Amino acid sequence: MTASASAEPTHTIVQLDAPFTDQKPGTSGLRKSSQQFEQPHYLESFIEAVFRTLPGVQGGTLVLGGDGRYGNRRAIDVILRMGAAHGLSKVLVATGGILSTPAASNLIRQRQAIGGIILSASHNPGGPDGDFGVKVNGANGGPTPSSFTDAVFECTKTLDHYSIAEAKPLNLEEPGTHQTGAMQVEIVNGVDDFVALMQQLFDFEQISDLLKSDFPLAFDAMHAVTGPYAKRVFEDLLGAPAGSVRNGIPLEDFGKGHPDPNLTYAHDLAGLLLEGDGYRFGAACDGDGDRNMILGHRCFVNPSDSLAVLTANATLAPGYAGGLAGVARSMPTSAAVDVVAKGLGINCFETPTGWKFFGNLLDAGEITLCGEESFGTGSNHVREKDGLWAVLFWLQILAVRRCSVADIMNSHWQRFGRHYYSRHDYEAVPTEAAHGLYDRLEMMLPSLLGQTFAGQTISGADNFSYIDPVDQSVTQGQGLRILLDDGSRVVIRLSGTGTKGATIRVYLESYVPNTGDLNQDPQIALAKMINAINDLAEIQQRTGMDQPTVIT
């Protein structure tokens, strides 16, 4: 433990020549290129707006950390000095500035903080030529609502100055306490509290027995934030052999990789499990540790199916042995969990994309588990999706059932039927072209009813809207849906998580009951729908792309 104190720092008012007009946060905070964040006063202006908008700053406690990407240390120093200037009482910072998003959510809740600032652009690449991001979580540990981010944006548009204290950068390598004027900075081990929470939810002894019984696993941390957490959990506590955690050292540029856990960007891990015979289980997490990919020997688990399997087997984990209050999924996620919820007699909610929409349901006790097709699953233990939690949940199920991942999937489909599902991402599409495609299709929706599509009849076509059952707030424009009379559907959305151009996401889903063919390749099972939406939306013609960038 180390301790230090500083004299009362000088507070400086920095005048701005003009406010920034492009600091509108998306669904996961403000994401821009690293170079954009390095513009003079750019980061400071956004943080100023955050501190002016976040309730309880004066005398409050804030959690601060990030995924270790380029710009993380500089941003922490700036935020600490601005926090001192704005009257924060205490800031909790993780050692090395490394703090996963779910661990930050837990720390906010455990320490009753006013919220947290998480420095990450999630699964986007890092480095000087990559991306950076700032996300604000509220006092419940979850993403702040749109009312907060809208207020921050409005504030940025009129800023004429910001306040910052003059102080030397702190050594973040060792736990300890420091003073920056009246503000205390407590540097904490970012792994400890999170691991303790996982030990409450899962039977580590049972999982350890599995890993020691000829059950080799490979976990790819993708040189991102989960490396230190995974090494502690899998190798130190559960007894997996050294080296089971791959790419476990967080790097500013993620080893020049793309920290997105899918078959495209985690291709080395996918090759080990899908083509080799050396491992029984594989998993990966993204830049900030909230997403996960699950693999078995010659078996890829679709994220929508993963949520359904966790729901069906939830009581095998000690933390959920009492059953589930309910479940929720984002609208683009397949309805696989809906079928399980119906069988269990619990409610299933369909929400817009964005973890903040699950927060109200979790806080109200309406749901226990929730998930998104974008490799995110979580529960009421925190208010964020949680990659390592999902990996441990799968290992808990395998430890009890003592079978392969493929066996679990096959038995699940035999019981509930199978939702053939795929997502096609067209990344970095010129913004004008992407919006042109989307707007044209939206205008066509009313005329599609009753038309033939992929051999079926279109029974519904709309732009999804949502009324929150807790606070009755209305969210509109959440994705174009084409619903078919056999229960199949296609969804098209424009993603707000990229920084270059736009990403068009196409979601395809077709349900086959347990009496049907459960062993098809999803791309073959969905081929008619893929061709039909490509023709209807003129995807190739308008994007200039012959195939998707990523297929999930």
Side-chain angles (χ1 to χ4, degrees):
M1 295 286 289
T2 60
S4 68
S6 68
E8 187 67 30
T10 301
H11 292 181
T12 300
I13 303 297
V14 179
Q15 299 294 329
L16 299 174
D17 292 335
F20 293 96
T21 59
D22 64 344
Q23 295 189 330
K24 182 175 176 59
T27 55
S28 297
L30 181 67
R31 291 185 190 171
K32 301 288 183 181
S33 69
S34 298
Q35 294 178 11
Q36 199 158 353
F37 265 104
E38 289 189 311
Q39 294 179 78
H41 314 303
Y42 194 86
L43 170 66
E44 291 87 344
S45 292
F46 187 73
I47 298 302
E48 177 73 21
V50 167
F51 282 145
R52 291 190 189 187
T53 309
L54 186 67
V57 168
Q58 189 73 35
T61 296
L62 184 78
V63 171
L64 176 61
D67 60 15
R69 69 179 58 231
Y70 177 81
N72 196 58
R73 289 294 186 99
R74 169 183 168 267
I76 288 174
D77 176 58
V78 166
I79 294 167
L80 287 176
R81 293 190 291 127
M82 291 187 70
H86 281 270
L88 281 170
S89 174
K90 175 186 283 191
V91 179
L92 301 165
V93 185
T95 49
I98 301 294
L99 187 66
S100 77
T101 289
S105 179
N106 178 54
L107 202 55
I108 292 168
R109 295 165 64 80
Q110 292 290 330
R111 298 297 190 95
Q112 297 182 322
I114 62 169
I117 296 178
I118 301 170
L119 304 169
S120 173
S122 188
H123 53 289
N124 292 13
D129 297 321
D131 295 334
F132 191 76
V134 179
K135 187 174 84 163
V136 182
N137 281 27
N140 74 337
T144 48
S146 56
S147 58
F148 174 84
T149 53
D150 289 346
V152 169
F153 180 46
E154 290 303 315
C155 184
T156 64
K157 293 190 293 185
T158 59
L159 277 182
D160 59 7
H161 72 273
Y162 63 85
S163 301
I164 189 167
E166 298 300 323
K168 293 181 179 180
L170 296 177
N171 180 0
L172 304 180
E173 300 309 314
E174 298 291 336
T177 57
H178 306 267
Q179 288 291 137
T180 299
M183 184 184 78
Q184 183 183 78
V185 180
E186 181 181 353
I187 300 173
V188 300
N189 186 303
V191 176
D192 289 345
D193 286 343
F194 179 81
V195 171
L197 178 61
M198 294 301 102
Q199 290 175 312
Q200 295 173 25
L201 300 174
F202 304 111
D203 187 332
F204 271 42
E205 183 176 350
Q206 200 171 38
I207 297 173
S208 179
D209 288 344
L210 170 71
L211 299 187
K212 294 175 181 176
S213 63
D214 190 28
F215 194 86
L217 70 80
F219 179 87
D220 190 349
M222 307 189 84
H223 284 304
V225 76
T226 55
Y229 297 82
K231 282 182 174 291
R232 173 82 66 85
V233 170
F234 299 128
E235 296 183 6
D236 297 347
L237 294 176
L238 295 176
S244 296
V245 176
R246 310 164 69 86
N247 303 317
I249 299 175
L251 299 176
E252 287 192 336
D253 63 354
F254 307 115
K256 300 190 183 305
H258 191 144
D260 195 355
N262 57 44
L263 296 176
T264 298
Y265 297 121
H267 49 82
D268 290 345
L269 178 71
L272 291 176
L273 272 296
L274 303 181
E275 299 170 11
D277 298 314
Y279 295 92
R280 299 280 302 280
F281 182 83
C285 288
D286 72 331
D288 64 330
D290 62 356
R291 300 181 189 224
N292 72 93
M293 178 174 69
I294 303 296
L295 298 164
H297 180 231
R298 308 296 170 95
C299 178
F300 164 71
V301 180
N302 184 286
S304 296
D305 281 340
S306 183
L307 175 61
V309 168
L310 298 187
T311 300
N313 294 273
T315 56
L316 300 183
Y320 307 94
L324 306 177
V327 294
R329 63 169 175 85
S330 65
M331 180 274 287
T333 303
S334 93
V337 72
D338 302 45
V339 178
V340 176
K342 183 177 180 181
L344 296 177
I346 59 176
N347 288 331
C348 180
F349 298 87
E350 182 182 39
T351 75
T353 296
W355 209 258
K356 59 189 176 184
F357 294 103
F358 295 138
N360 276 0
L361 296 170
L362 289 165
D363 287 344
E366 294 286 347
I367 62 172
T368 308
L369 301 187
C370 45
E372 298 178 334
E373 49 70 38
S374 54
F375 294 89
T377 36
S379 85
N380 59 356
H381 70 291
V382 291
R383 293 299 183 267
E384 287 279 4
K385 46 186 176 279
D386 190 342
L388 280 175
W389 167 88
V391 175
L392 283 167
F393 210 143
W394 266 94
L395 289 172
Q396 178 72 75
I397 294 168
L398 291 164
V400 173
R401 294 182 57 174
R402 294 284 172 157
C403 61
S404 70
V405 173
D407 289 338
I408 286 178
M409 294 312 308
N410 288 327
S411 65
H412 183 87
W413 294 329
Q414 288 289 341
R415 180 180 176 188
F416 296 105
R418 181 174 183 180
H419 289 254
Y420 284 104
Y421 182 87
S422 186
R423 188 180 95 185
H424 290 192
D425 288 1
Y426 298 83
E427 297 181 347
V429 178
T431 301
E432 185 176 345
H435 283 275
L437 181 154
Y438 189 88
D439 294 344
R440 171 182 172 271
L441 184 59
E442 183 173 15
M443 290 182 64
M444 294 172 62
L445 292 179
S447 66
L448 296 180
L449 290 177
Q451 291 193 22
T452 300
F453 183 93
Q456 301 296 326
T457 301
I458 296 177
S459 59
D462 63 11
N463 194 335
F464 180 68
S465 62
Y466 175 69
I467 300 175
D468 192 301
V470 177
D471 63 14
Q472 305 305 308
S473 61
V474 177
T475 305
Q476 297 178 323
Q478 293 300 300
L480 309 182
R481 302 190 299 175
I482 298 174
L483 311 176
L484 307 184
D485 57 359
D486 68 344
S488 301
R489 64 176 183 151
V490 178
V491 175
I492 292 187
R493 296 181 61 250
L494 296 181
S495 172
T497 59
T499 62
K500 297 175 182 177
T503 296
I504 300 172
R505 302 200 196 280
V506 181
Y507 310 82
L508 307 116
E509 177 179 4
S510 180
Y511 176 66
V512 174
N514 58 7
T515 55
D517 186 352
L518 304 175
N519 298 303
Q520 302 176 67
D521 181 307
Q523 301 309 310
I524 295 175
L526 298 166
K528 289 184 179 180
M529 296 174 65
I530 293 169
N531 292 331
I533 192 59
N534 283 344
D535 291 342
L536 180 66
E538 299 179 349
I539 293 175
Q540 292 182 359
Q541 174 184 334
R542 290 175 174 271
T543 65
M545 302 172 70
D546 293 332
Q547 59 186 11
T549 313
V550 178
I551 296 177
T552 303

